[in-house]
């Protein structure tokens, strides 16, 4: 039953929609936590510590964090695989490329695939930079996320990588939320305007919120 569902085009679209919503939910929660950086190192480092002990005393140290990571990684993989397979099915169904792009196709729609690639590469860089410290520009300090973030955004390339990725993320969220709503049956003539406004609002809020962090470091608000 599950295999039959996955093999169908509708099944892949549903998986893509559900996993997309999971990731949007994560981004909203992640942004709320990241905003603590504007309240100083004590608040932000405290948030980093809480992530490692959340669920205590029921869960052991870092179990809650690893559960969240596993769910997120599974969502990312399923989302990427379903997107790739749907893309291949679309190519097989239309072996000849369109001479002209659809007139009503938005810029976000046309760049969804490249946006996904950019975000995938960014996730790898972000983990190596601020989680493992492998590619970190300064002296990576375990348990001191505030200083690690300041180090990263004190470099021009750290800012460029992050801001470009966040712009791609915004376009991805804007189109992805709308597509997920349609796939999961939430769309209708009466709700379409509200759904579009929600998609646009989420994209703007998340993009501006995340970009405010490197801007804060560059301007000295966060130092």
């Amino acid at each position: 039953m599950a295999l039959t569902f996955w093999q169908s085009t509708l099944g892949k679209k549903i998986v893509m929609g559900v996993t997309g919503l999971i990731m949007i939910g994560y981004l909203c929660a992640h942004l709320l936590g990241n905003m603590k950086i504007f309240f100083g190192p004590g608040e932000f480092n405290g948030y980093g510590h809480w992530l490692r002990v959340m669920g205590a005393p029921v869960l052991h140290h870092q179990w809650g964090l690893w559960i969240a990571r596993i769910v997120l990684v599974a969502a990312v993989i399923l989302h990427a695989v379903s997107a790739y397979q749907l893309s291949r099915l679309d190519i097989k169904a239309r072996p000849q490329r369109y001479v002209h792009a659809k007139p009503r196709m938005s810029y976000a729609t046309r760049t969804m695939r490249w946006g996904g690639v950019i975000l995938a590469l960014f996730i790898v860089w972000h983990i190596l930079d601020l989680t493992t410290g492998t590619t970190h520009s300064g002296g990576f300090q375990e348990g001191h996320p505030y200083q690690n973030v300041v180090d990263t955004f004190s470099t021009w390339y750290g800012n460029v990588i992050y801001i470009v990725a966040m712009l791609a993320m915004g376009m991805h969220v804007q189109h992805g939320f709308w597509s997920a709503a349609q796939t999961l049956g939430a769309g209708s003539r009466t709700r379409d305007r509200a759904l579009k406004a929600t998609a646009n609002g989420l994209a703007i809020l998340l993009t501006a919120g995340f970009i405010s962090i490197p801007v804060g470091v560059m301007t000295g608000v966060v130092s």
Side-chain angles (χ1 to χ4, degrees), residues 37-39 146 149-150 154 212-213 215-223:
I37 199 167
F38 291 103
F39 297 93
Y146 183 93
V149 169
V150 171
S154 295
S212 71
I213 299 170
V215 171
V217 175
M218 285 188 286
T219 57
V221 174
V222 177
S223 62

Side-chain angles (χ1 to χ4, degrees), residues 133 136-142 144 147-148 151:
H136 190 66
S137 57
F140 183 77
Q141 301 179 51
E142 183 69 34
H144 294 82
Q147 188 57 49
N148 293 333
D151 287 344

Side-chain angles (χ1 to χ4, degrees), residues 8-22:
S8 68
T9 300
L10 178 60
K12 295 181 193 301
K13 287 183 177 180
I14 291 174
V15 168
M16 193 172 177
V18 171
T19 54
L21 292 178
I22 290 173

Side-chain angles (χ1 to χ4, degrees), residues 45-61:
N45 290 338
Y47 165 64
H49 173 72
W50 174 82
L51 288 176
R52 286 160 175 75
V53 299
M54 63 178 175
V58 177
L59 300 177
H60 288 290
H61 186 66

Side-chain angles (χ1 to χ4, degrees), residues 6-7 17 25 28 39 52 57 66 70 74 91 101 103 115 133 135 142 148 183 187 198:
W6 171 252
Q7 289 176 336
C28 292
F39 297 93
R52 286 160 175 75
W66 276 105
I70 290 169
I91 291 173
T135 61
E142 183 69 34
N148 293 333
T183 299
T198 302

